[in-house]
Coordinates of all heavy atoms in Angstrom, one line a residue:
D275 N 10.3 12.8 -35.9 CA 10.2 11.5 -35.2 C 11.5 11.4 -34.3 O 11.4 11.0 -33.1 CB 10.2 10.3 -36.2 CG 8.9 10.3 -36.9 OD1 7.9 10.9 -36.4 OD2 8.8 9.6 -37.9
G276 N 12.6 11.8 -34.8 CA 13.9 11.7 -34.0 C 13.8 12.6 -32.8 O 14.2 12.3 -31.7
T277 N 13.3 13.8 -33.1 CA 13.1 14.8 -32.0 C 12.2 14.2 -30.9 O 12.5 14.4 -29.7 CB 12.6 16.1 -32.5 OG1 13.5 16.6 -33.5 CG2 12.5 17.1 -31.4
D278 N 11.1 13.6 -31.3 CA 10.1 13.1 -30.3 C 10.8 11.9 -29.5 O 10.6 11.8 -28.3 CB 8.9 12.5 -31.0 CG 8.1 13.7 -31.6 OD1 8.3 14.8 -31.2 OD2 7.2 13.4 -32.5
T279 N 11.5 11.1 -30.2 CA 12.2 10.0 -29.5 C 13.2 10.4 -28.5 O 13.3 10.0 -27.4 CB 12.9 9.0 -30.6 OG1 11.9 8.6 -31.5 CG2 13.6 7.9 -29.9
T280 N 14.0 11.4 -28.9 CA 15.0 12.0 -28.0 C 14.4 12.6 -26.8 O 14.8 12.4 -25.7 CB 15.8 13.1 -28.8 OG1 16.5 12.5 -29.9 CG2 16.9 13.7 -27.9
A281 N 13.3 13.3 -27.0 CA 12.6 13.9 -25.9 C 12.1 12.9 -24.9 O 12.1 13.1 -23.7 CB 11.4 14.8 -26.4
R282 N 11.6 11.8 -25.5 CA 11.0 10.7 -24.6 C 12.1 10.1 -23.8 O 12.0 9.8 -22.6 CB 10.3 9.7 -25.4 CG 9.0 10.2 -26.1 CD 8.5 9.2 -27.0 NE 7.3 9.6 -27.7 CZ 6.7 9.0 -28.7 NH1 7.2 7.9 -29.2 NH2 5.6 9.6 -29.3
V283 N 13.3 9.8 -24.5 CA 14.4 9.2 -23.7 C 14.9 10.1 -22.6 O 15.1 9.7 -21.5 CB 15.6 8.9 -24.7 CG1 16.8 8.5 -23.9 CG2 15.1 7.8 -25.7
L284 N 15.0 11.4 -22.9 CA 15.5 12.3 -21.9 C 14.5 12.4 -20.8 O 14.9 12.6 -19.6 CB 15.7 13.7 -22.5 CG 16.9 13.8 -23.5 CD1 16.9 15.2 -24.1 CD2 18.2 13.5 -22.8
G285 N 13.2 12.4 -21.1 CA 12.2 12.4 -20.1 C 12.3 11.2 -19.1 O 12.2 11.4 -17.9
I286 N 12.5 10.0 -19.7 CA 12.6 8.8 -18.9 C 13.8 8.9 -18.0 O 13.8 8.6 -16.8 CB 12.6 7.6 -19.8 CG1 11.3 7.4 -20.5 CG2 13.0 6.3 -19.0 CD1 11.3 6.3 -21.5
V287 N 15.0 9.3 -18.6 CA 16.2 9.5 -17.9 C 16.0 10.4 -16.7 O 16.5 10.2 -15.6 CB 17.4 9.9 -18.8 CG1 18.6 10.3 -17.9 CG2 17.7 8.9 -19.8
G288 N 15.3 11.5 -17.0 CA 15.0 12.5 -15.9 C 14.2 11.9 -14.8 O 14.5 12.2 -13.6
I289 N 13.2 11.1 -15.1 CA 12.4 10.5 -14.1 C 13.2 9.6 -13.3 O 13.1 9.5 -12.0 CB 11.2 9.8 -14.7 CG1 10.3 10.8 -15.4 CG2 10.5 8.9 -13.7 CD1 9.2 10.1 -16.2
V290 N 14.1 8.7 -13.9 CA 14.9 7.8 -13.2 C 15.8 8.5 -12.3 O 16.0 8.1 -11.1 CB 15.7 6.9 -14.2 CG1 16.7 6.0 -13.5 CG2 14.7 6.0 -15.0
V291 N 16.5 9.5 -12.8 CA 17.4 10.3 -12.0 C 16.7 10.9 -10.8 O 17.2 10.9 -9.6 CB 18.2 11.4 -12.8 CG1 19.0 12.3 -11.9 CG2 19.1 10.7 -13.8
G292 N 15.5 11.5 -11.1 CA 14.8 12.1 -10.0 C 14.4 11.1 -8.9 O 14.5 11.3 -7.7
A293 N 13.9 9.9 -9.4 CA 13.6 8.8 -8.4 C 14.8 8.4 -7.6 O 14.7 8.2 -6.4 CB 13.0 7.6 -9.2
A294 N 15.9 8.3 -8.3 CA 17.1 7.9 -7.5 C 17.5 8.9 -6.5 O 17.9 8.6 -5.4 CB 18.3 7.7 -8.5
G295 N 17.3 10.2 -6.9 CA 17.6 11.3 -5.9 C 16.7 11.2 -4.7 O 17.1 11.4 -3.6
V296 N 15.4 10.9 -4.9 CA 14.5 10.9 -3.8 C 14.8 9.7 -2.9 O 14.8 9.8 -1.7 CB 13.0 10.7 -4.4 CG1 12.1 10.4 -3.2 CG2 12.6 12.0 -5.1
A297 N 15.1 8.5 -3.5 CA 15.5 7.3 -2.7 C 16.7 7.6 -1.9 O 16.8 7.2 -0.7 CB 15.7 6.2 -3.7
Y298 N 17.7 8.2 -2.5 CA 19.0 8.5 -1.8 C 18.7 9.5 -0.6 O 19.2 9.3 0.5 CB 20.0 9.2 -2.7 CG 21.2 9.6 -2.0 CD1 22.2 8.7 -1.8 CD2 21.4 10.9 -1.7 CE1 23.4 9.0 -1.1 CE2 22.6 11.3 -1.0 CZ 23.6 10.3 -0.8 OH 24.8 10.7 -0.1
G299 N 17.8 10.5 -0.8 CA 17.4 11.4 0.2 C 16.7 10.7 1.4 O 17.0 11.0 2.6
V300 N 15.8 9.7 1.1 CA 15.1 9.0 2.1 C 16.1 8.2 2.9 O 16.1 8.1 4.2 CB 14.1 8.1 1.5 CG1 13.5 7.2 2.6 CG2 13.0 9.0 0.9

């Protein structure tokens, strides 16, 4: 369960960072 939760958090963080990068590029 802990591993699944960590993976989800990291996935969300990755999406946010990616979105921020795209917005900055635009």
Side-chain angles (χ1 to χ4, degrees):
D275 292 342
T277 302
D278 291 344
T279 302
T280 301
R282 290 172 183 171
V283 171
L284 291 175
I286 294 173
V287 171
I289 293 172
V290 172
V291 172
V296 171
Y298 177 79
V300 172

